[in-house]
Amino acid sequence: MGKLRFWMGLLLAGGVALAHAQGNPAAGKEKAMVCAGCHGEDGNSSAPIFPKIAGQHAAYIAKQLHDFKSQKRGDPTMGALAEPLTGQDIDDLAAYYSQQKITIEKTEANALGETIYRTGNLKTGVPACTGCHGFGGNGNPGAVFPQLNGQYAAYVEKTLRDFKAGERGNDMNGMMRALAARMNEAEIKAVADYISSLQ
């Protein structure tokens, strides 16, 4: 009986902690004003080099902001903006952006990109992107794998090149670095084009 109470107490405490960790979208909207210059008022950036964060999983947004804050993910601009954020600020921003609707441009699907995204490249050991990001590019919020569908091709290209060069290293167990290192430039561009076409 004592052990049961102990575990019940832990579960209840965990539930309280999770409830406290949830962000406030209304507060996040106010705090997002400084983000609008690059990411747009609703998280749909107008410049293809800046990622769309509208509709992105809250857990993923929060992880990236924490990584920028701790400099685990290096970027001078984002590091400076994230440094003063509190945990609650991060949760609020993540909650706000996750509730926005991503704007997806209509583009032609890239055949090579679709093949690599769906089945990978057995010859070079590149796994299918669907394993983590899903067939529709919806990601996996539980595993903190991001939603990709409708993301700008230019941003996806830059991200894959950064992983390939080891300039970005906040991926789980180095998975993205290992994957991108096996991709050539044509494959990177093709996959990025295909991802941008996913609805």
Side-chain angles (χ1 to χ4, degrees):
M1 191 67 176
K3 286 185 179 179
L4 179 60
R5 282 198 194 118
F6 172 77
W7 288 112
M8 288 294 287
L10 279 181
L11 287 171
L12 287 170
V16 170
L18 286 173
H20 178 69
Q22 291 177 350
N24 181 329
K29 183 177 183 179
E30 291 182 19
K31 296 170 184 178
M33 290 175 66
V34 70
C35 312
C38 294
H39 297 289
E41 290 185 15
D42 63 351
N44 285 291
S45 62
S46 57
I49 200 63
F50 298 130
K52 298 177 187 179
I53 52 178
Q56 185 57 266
H57 306 304
Y60 182 77
I61 295 172
K63 179 189 184 304
Q64 299 311 305
L65 287 173
H66 280 293
D67 286 354
F68 282 127
K69 181 179 172 74
S70 67
Q71 298 185 2
K72 184 175 182 180
R73 180 175 176 184
D75 182 277
T77 302
M78 284 302 303
L81 290 169
E83 196 279 329
L85 296 177
T86 65
Q88 189 62 57
D89 291 335
I90 288 173
D91 290 339
D92 292 345
L93 287 165
Y96 170 66
Y97 282 119
S98 69
Q99 292 187 3
Q100 305 311 300
K101 185 175 177 59
I102 190 171
T103 300
I104 301 177
E105 292 76 27
K106 288 188 177 180
T107 59
E108 292 295 321
N110 184 301
L112 173 61
E114 181 174 8
T115 298
I116 296 167
Y117 185 90
R118 291 182 176 274
T119 63
N121 184 336
L122 290 175
K123 290 181 180 178
T124 57
V126 175
C129 307
T130 54
C132 294
H133 299 288
F135 281 96
N138 296 314
N140 184 332
V144 200
F145 295 145
Q147 177 175 312
L148 299 179
N149 58 312
Q151 188 58 263
Y152 286 124
Y155 179 72
V156 177
E157 278 187 55
K158 178 187 181 305
T159 300
L160 287 171
R161 288 192 185 108
D162 286 350
F163 278 128
K164 182 181 176 75
E167 292 174 8
R168 178 171 169 184
N170 71 327
D171 51 326
M172 184 187 296
N173 300 323
M175 289 190 300
M176 286 301 304
R177 280 170 284 176
L179 180 156
R182 297 187 181 101
M183 296 176 73
N184 61 39
E185 282 298 308
E187 290 174 326
I188 286 173
K189 187 175 187 329
V191 168
D193 285 345
Y194 178 69
I195 285 170
S196 71
S197 74
L198 289 171
Q199 297 294 309

